[in-house]
CSV table of all heavy atoms in Angstrom, one decimal:
chain,number,residue,atom,x,y,z
A,295,GLY,N,18.8,8.3,-11.9
A,295,GLY,CA,17.6,7.6,-12.1
A,295,GLY,C,17.6,6.9,-13.4
A,295,GLY,O,16.7,6.0,-13.7
A,296,GLN,N,18.5,7.2,-14.3
A,296,GLN,CA,18.6,6.6,-15.6
A,296,GLN,C,19.4,5.3,-15.6
A,296,GLN,O,19.5,4.6,-16.6
A,296,GLN,CB,19.2,7.6,-16.7
A,296,GLN,CG,18.3,8.8,-16.9
A,296,GLN,CD,19.0,9.9,-17.7
A,296,GLN,OE1,20.1,9.7,-18.1
A,296,GLN,NE2,18.3,10.9,-18.0
A,297,THR,N,20.0,5.0,-14.5
A,297,THR,CA,20.8,3.8,-14.3
A,297,THR,C,19.9,2.6,-14.3
A,297,THR,O,18.8,2.6,-13.7
A,297,THR,CB,21.6,3.9,-13.0
A,297,THR,OG1,22.3,5.1,-13.0
A,297,THR,CG2,22.5,2.7,-12.9
A,298,ARG,N,20.3,1.5,-14.9
A,298,ARG,CA,19.5,0.3,-14.8
A,298,ARG,C,19.3,-0.2,-13.4
A,298,ARG,O,20.3,-0.2,-12.6
A,298,ARG,CB,20.3,-0.9,-15.5
A,298,ARG,CG,19.5,-2.2,-15.7
A,298,ARG,CD,20.4,-3.3,-16.2
A,298,ARG,NE,21.4,-3.6,-15.3
A,298,ARG,CZ,22.4,-4.5,-15.6
A,298,ARG,NH1,22.5,-5.0,-16.8
A,298,ARG,NH2,23.3,-4.7,-14.6
A,299,GLY,N,18.1,-0.5,-13.0
A,299,GLY,CA,17.8,-0.9,-11.7
A,299,GLY,C,17.5,0.3,-10.7
A,299,GLY,O,17.3,0.1,-9.5
A,300,ALA,N,17.4,1.5,-11.3
A,300,ALA,CA,17.1,2.7,-10.5
A,300,ALA,C,16.0,3.5,-11.2
A,300,ALA,O,15.7,3.3,-12.4
A,300,ALA,CB,18.3,3.5,-10.2
A,301,GLY,N,15.4,4.4,-10.5
A,301,GLY,CA,14.4,5.3,-11.2
A,301,GLY,C,14.0,6.4,-10.2
A,301,GLY,O,13.8,6.2,-9.1
A,302,ARG,N,14.0,7.7,-10.8
A,302,ARG,CA,13.6,8.8,-10.0
A,302,ARG,C,12.1,8.8,-9.8
A,302,ARG,O,11.3,8.6,-10.7
A,302,ARG,CB,14.0,10.1,-10.6
A,302,ARG,CG,13.9,11.3,-9.7
A,302,ARG,CD,14.5,12.5,-10.2
A,302,ARG,NE,13.8,13.0,-11.4
A,302,ARG,CZ,13.8,14.3,-11.7
A,302,ARG,NH1,14.4,15.2,-11.0
A,302,ARG,NH2,13.1,14.7,-12.8
A,303,LEU,N,11.6,8.9,-8.5
A,303,LEU,CA,10.2,8.7,-8.2
A,303,LEU,C,9.3,9.7,-8.9
A,303,LEU,O,8.2,9.3,-9.3
A,303,LEU,CB,10.1,8.7,-6.7
A,303,LEU,CG,10.8,7.6,-5.9
A,303,LEU,CD1,10.5,7.7,-4.4
A,303,LEU,CD2,10.4,6.2,-6.5
A,304,ILE,N,9.7,10.9,-9.0
A,304,ILE,CA,8.7,11.9,-9.6
A,304,ILE,C,8.5,11.6,-11.0
A,304,ILE,O,7.5,12.0,-11.6
A,304,ILE,CB,9.2,13.3,-9.4
A,304,ILE,CG1,8.0,14.3,-9.5
A,304,ILE,CG2,10.4,13.7,-10.3
A,304,ILE,CD1,8.3,15.7,-8.9
A,305,ASP,N,9.4,10.9,-11.7
A,305,ASP,CA,9.3,10.6,-13.1
A,305,ASP,C,8.4,9.4,-13.4
A,305,ASP,O,8.0,9.2,-14.5
A,305,ASP,CB,10.7,10.3,-13.7
A,305,ASP,CG,11.6,11.5,-13.7
A,305,ASP,OD1,11.1,12.6,-13.7
A,305,ASP,OD2,12.8,11.3,-13.5
A,306,THR,N,8.0,8.7,-12.3
A,306,THR,CA,7.0,7.6,-12.6
A,306,THR,C,5.6,8.1,-12.8
A,306,THR,O,4.8,7.5,-13.4
A,306,THR,CB,7.0,6.6,-11.4
A,306,THR,OG1,6.5,7.3,-10.2
A,306,THR,CG2,8.4,6.1,-11.1
A,307,GLY,N,5.3,9.3,-12.2
A,307,GLY,CA,4.1,10.0,-12.5
A,307,GLY,C,2.9,9.5,-11.8
A,307,GLY,O,2.2,10.2,-11.1
A,308,ARG,N,2.6,8.2,-12.0
A,308,ARG,CA,1.2,7.7,-11.7
A,308,ARG,C,1.0,7.7,-10.2
A,308,ARG,O,-0.2,7.7,-9.7
A,308,ARG,CB,1.1,6.3,-12.2
A,308,ARG,CG,2.1,5.2,-11.7
A,308,ARG,CD,1.9,3.9,-12.4
A,308,ARG,NE,2.8,2.9,-11.9
A,308,ARG,CZ,4.0,2.7,-12.3
A,308,ARG,NH1,4.5,3.5,-13.3
A,308,ARG,NH2,4.8,1.8,-11.8
A,309,HIS,N,2.0,7.7,-9.4
A,309,HIS,CA,1.8,7.7,-7.9
A,309,HIS,C,1.9,9.2,-7.3
A,309,HIS,O,1.8,9.3,-6.1
A,309,HIS,CB,2.9,6.9,-7.2
A,309,HIS,CG,2.8,5.4,-7.5
A,309,HIS,ND1,3.6,4.8,-8.5
A,309,HIS,CD2,2.0,4.5,-7.1
A,309,HIS,CE1,3.3,3.5,-8.5
A,309,HIS,NE2,2.3,3.3,-7.7
A,310,VAL,N,2.0,10.2,-8.2
A,310,VAL,CA,2.2,11.5,-7.7
A,310,VAL,C,0.8,12.2,-7.8
A,310,VAL,O,0.2,12.2,-8.9
A,310,VAL,CB,3.2,12.3,-8.5
A,310,VAL,CG1,3.4,13.7,-8.0
A,310,VAL,CG2,4.5,11.5,-8.5
A,311,PHE,N,0.4,12.9,-6.8
A,311,PHE,CA,-1.0,13.5,-6.7
A,311,PHE,C,-1.3,14.4,-7.9
A,311,PHE,O,-2.5,14.5,-8.3
A,311,PHE,CB,-1.2,14.2,-5.4
A,311,PHE,CG,-0.6,15.6,-5.4
A,311,PHE,CD1,-1.4,16.7,-5.6
A,311,PHE,CD2,0.7,15.8,-5.0
A,311,PHE,CE1,-0.9,18.0,-5.6
A,311,PHE,CE2,1.2,17.1,-5.0
A,311,PHE,CZ,0.4,18.2,-5.3
A,312,THR,N,-0.3,15.1,-8.5
A,312,THR,CA,-0.5,16.0,-9.6
A,312,THR,C,-1.1,15.3,-10.8
A,312,THR,O,-1.6,16.0,-11.7
A,312,THR,CB,0.8,16.7,-10.0
A,312,THR,OG1,1.8,15.8,-10.2
A,312,THR,CG2,1.2,17.7,-8.9
A,313,ASN,N,-1.0,14.0,-10.9
A,313,ASN,CA,-1.5,13.2,-12.0
A,313,ASN,C,-2.9,12.5,-11.7
A,313,ASN,O,-3.4,11.8,-12.5
A,313,ASN,CB,-0.5,12.2,-12.5
A,313,ASN,CG,0.8,12.8,-13.0
A,313,ASN,OD1,0.7,13.6,-13.9
A,313,ASN,ND2,1.9,12.5,-12.3
A,314,TRP,N,-3.4,12.8,-10.5
A,314,TRP,CA,-4.7,12.1,-10.2
A,314,TRP,C,-5.9,13.0,-10.7
A,314,TRP,O,-6.6,13.5,-9.9
A,314,TRP,CB,-4.8,12.0,-8.7
A,314,TRP,CG,-3.7,11.1,-8.0
A,314,TRP,CD1,-2.8,10.3,-8.7
A,314,TRP,CD2,-3.4,11.1,-6.6
A,314,TRP,NE1,-2.0,9.8,-7.7
A,314,TRP,CE2,-2.3,10.2,-6.5
A,314,TRP,CE3,-3.9,11.7,-5.5
A,314,TRP,CZ2,-1.7,9.9,-5.2
A,314,TRP,CZ3,-3.4,11.4,-4.3
A,314,TRP,CH2,-2.3,10.5,-4.1
A,315,GLU,N,-6.1,13.0,-11.9
A,315,GLU,CA,-7.2,13.9,-12.5
A,315,GLU,C,-8.5,13.5,-11.9
A,315,GLU,O,-9.4,14.3,-11.7
A,315,GLU,CB,-7.2,13.8,-14.0
A,315,GLU,CG,-8.2,14.6,-14.7
A,315,GLU,CD,-8.2,16.1,-14.4
A,315,GLU,OE1,-7.1,16.6,-14.1
A,315,GLU,OE2,-9.2,16.7,-14.4
A,316,ALA,N,-8.7,12.2,-11.7
A,316,ALA,CA,-10.0,11.7,-11.2
A,316,ALA,C,-10.3,12.2,-9.8
A,316,ALA,O,-11.5,12.3,-9.4
A,316,ALA,CB,-10.1,10.2,-11.2
A,317,VAL,N,-9.3,12.6,-9.1
A,317,VAL,CA,-9.5,13.2,-7.7
A,317,VAL,C,-9.5,14.7,-7.8
A,317,VAL,O,-10.4,15.3,-7.3
A,317,VAL,CB,-8.3,12.7,-6.8
A,317,VAL,CG1,-8.4,13.4,-5.5
A,317,VAL,CG2,-8.3,11.2,-6.6
A,318,LEU,N,-8.6,15.2,-8.6
A,318,LEU,CA,-8.4,16.7,-8.6
A,318,LEU,C,-9.6,17.4,-9.3
A,318,LEU,O,-10.0,18.5,-9.0
A,318,LEU,CB,-7.1,17.1,-9.4
A,318,LEU,CG,-5.8,16.5,-8.9
A,318,LEU,CD1,-4.7,17.0,-9.7
A,318,LEU,CD2,-5.6,16.8,-7.4
A,319,CYS,N,-10.3,16.7,-10.2
A,319,CYS,CA,-11.4,17.3,-10.9
A,319,CYS,C,-12.7,17.5,-10.0
A,319,CYS,O,-13.6,18.2,-10.3
A,319,CYS,CB,-11.8,16.5,-12.2
A,319,CYS,SG,-12.6,14.9,-11.8
A,320,LYS,N,-12.7,16.7,-8.9
A,320,LYS,CA,-13.8,16.8,-8.0
A,320,LYS,C,-15.2,16.6,-8.6
A,320,LYS,O,-16.2,17.2,-8.3
A,320,LYS,CB,-13.8,18.1,-7.2
A,320,LYS,CG,-12.5,18.2,-6.4
A,320,LYS,CD,-12.6,19.3,-5.3
A,320,LYS,CE,-12.7,20.7,-5.8
A,320,LYS,NZ,-12.6,21.7,-4.7
A,321,ARG,N,-15.2,15.6,-9.6
A,321,ARG,CA,-16.5,15.3,-10.3
A,321,ARG,C,-16.8,13.8,-9.9
A,321,ARG,O,-16.0,13.0,-9.6
A,321,ARG,CB,-16.4,15.4,-11.8
A,321,ARG,CG,-16.3,16.9,-12.2
A,321,ARG,CD,-16.4,16.9,-13.8
A,321,ARG,NE,-15.4,16.2,-14.4
A,321,ARG,CZ,-14.2,16.8,-14.8
A,321,ARG,NH1,-14.0,18.0,-14.5
A,321,ARG,NH2,-13.3,16.1,-15.4
A,322,SER,N,-18.1,13.5,-10.1
A,322,SER,CA,-18.6,12.2,-9.9
A,322,SER,C,-19.3,11.7,-11.1
A,322,SER,O,-19.5,12.5,-12.0
A,322,SER,CB,-19.5,12.1,-8.6
A,322,SER,OG,-20.0,10.8,-8.4
A,323,PHE,N,-19.8,10.4,-11.1
A,323,PHE,CA,-20.5,9.9,-12.3
A,323,PHE,C,-21.8,10.6,-12.5
A,323,PHE,O,-22.4,10.6,-13.5
A,323,PHE,CB,-20.6,8.4,-12.2
A,323,PHE,CG,-21.4,7.9,-11.1
A,323,PHE,CD1,-22.8,7.8,-11.2
A,323,PHE,CD2,-20.8,7.6,-9.8
A,323,PHE,CE1,-23.6,7.3,-10.1
A,323,PHE,CE2,-21.6,7.2,-8.8
A,323,PHE,CZ,-22.9,7.0,-8.9
Side-chain angles (χ1 to χ4, degrees):
Q296 298 171 354
T297 307
R298 186 188 67 188
R302 191 170 67 151
L303 296 181
I304 202 165
D305 295 329
T306 64
R308 62 186 182 273
H309 294 101
V310 183
F311 80 96
T312 50
N313 296 300
W314 301 346
E315 180 59 27
V317 175
L318 303 182
C319 71
K320 298 199 287 188
R321 290 191 298 270
S322 183
F323 62 91

